[in-house]
Amino acid sequence: GAVVSQHPSRVICKSGTSVKIECRSLDFQATTMFWYRQFPKQSLMLMATSNEGSKATYEQGVEKDKFLINHASLTLSTLTVTSAHPEDSSFYICSARGTSGGGDEQFFGPGTRLTVL
Amino acid sequence: GQNIDQPTEMTATEGAIVQINCTYQTSGFNGLFWYQQHAGEAPTFLSYNVLDGLEEKGRFSSFLSRSKGYSYLLLKELQMKDSASYLCAVIDPDYKLSFGAGTTVTVRA
């Protein structure tokens, strides 16, 4: 099956710093990547949709200047949490949708646990 | 908007059957997914229904009725490793997934 990786798996940072999370599709080309956030004991909430070579589309309530998304190639999307604060501590998960076959299935990365002190 | 409802928790004994219901009201529908998620991990794909009816895959089956906005996931011959959260998710024509809050299933010996 299709594999999506995320890096780092865990990150702890100080308040006010920026953190970059990478999402890679390892064995397929992803035309679209999605970024989700999951707080403890809650479900996944879509933050933004990222298409290769174009600007990301953000969901209502998500600050685009705080959560910078870059989808520079068909295998890589990055999410940068700028000026992180403790309330940004969460589990960030990306998913990718391929260019061929697979129907509407999205393949999820393993997630990145962000803790802001 | 999307409104997806599923029970918060369910408990069952090893070897038993559990059915997790999901009802949805969405502005666009292109299919319904079920995912399994263990604590601290990303969701893993279980099933996808786009047409009405039952899809069976080993111990897991999923049913969809589009006219009723209803789906269920059936877990048979429960094993301890099946203890997890089960997420119902609807995909819209833009391929965006909207998730329910998840049902935590606890399997007891």
Side-chain angles (χ1 to χ4, degrees):
Chain A
V3 178
V4 176
S5 71
Q6 274 185 248
H7 178 80
S9 58
R10 288 179 181 273
V11 58
I12 300 173
C13 68
K14 293 182 180 179
S15 186
T17 60
S18 294
V19 175
K20 180 186 282 188
I21 302 170
E22 293 185 349
C23 177
R24 292 181 185 271
S25 57
L26 298 185
D27 51 1
F28 69 102
Q29 293 185 324
T31 49
T32 306
M33 288 184 170
F34 302 87
W35 286 96
Y36 298 86
R37 181 168 52 182
Q38 185 177 32
F39 292 106
K41 298 190 178 182
Q42 295 185 24
S43 194
L44 282 77
M45 295 298 294
L46 180 65
M47 298 175 66
T49 303
S50 168
N51 291 297
E52 186 265 337
S54 63
K55 289 184 179 180
T57 304
Y58 291 81
E59 295 300 302
Q60 193 172 8
V62 178
E63 300 174 57
K64 62 180 181 181
D65 293 331
K66 180 171 182 62
F67 298 99
L68 302 179
I69 292 173
N70 184 283
H71 193 160
S73 76
L74 284 171
T75 59
L76 174 65
S77 176
T78 60
L79 168 68
T80 301
V81 183
T82 62
S83 186
H85 291 285
E87 58 265 30
D88 297 323
S89 298
S90 188
F91 192 45
Y92 291 86
I93 305 173
C94 72
S95 71
R97 179 173 173 268
T99 54
S100 61
D104 293 329
E105 185 175 354
Q106 293 178 23
F107 302 97
F108 285 88
T112 297
R113 175 77 58 192
L114 170 63
T115 303
V116 185
L117 302 176
Chain B
Q2 317 290 50
N3 187 23
I4 301 170
D5 290 315
Q6 52 182 127
T8 305
E9 294 180 329
M10 300 184 76
T11 302
T13 54
E14 208 172 3
I17 298 173
V18 69
Q19 177 174 315
I20 307 170
N21 296 323
C22 172
T23 57
Y24 63 90
Q25 293 173 312
T26 58
S27 55
F29 182 84
N30 231 31
L32 188 143
F33 289 86
W34 283 97
Y35 290 90
Q36 180 191 63
Q37 186 179 28
H38 286 99
E41 299 179 10
T44 55
F45 170 81
L46 291 178
S47 69
Y48 172 60
N49 294 69
V50 65
L51 299 177
D52 290 350
L54 186 68
E55 294 278 345
E56 296 185 85
K57 191 185 292 185
R59 293 189 299 114
F60 295 176
S61 302
S62 58
F63 171 83
L64 175 67
S65 169
R66 288 171 297 171
S67 62
K68 295 181 179 178
Y70 168 70
S71 172
Y72 69 73
L73 178 69
L74 195 68
L75 315 179
K76 304 176 209 174
E77 301 169 19
L78 278 173
Q79 302 175 8
M80 299 299 288
K81 67 178 181 179
D82 297 330
S83 292
S85 181
Y86 291 84
L87 308 176
C88 172
V90 170
I91 193 164
D92 70 14
D94 292 325
Y95 306 107
K96 292 182 181 179
L97 277 172
S98 295
F99 285 84
T103 299
T104 301
V105 171
T106 303
V107 181
R108 294 182 176 168

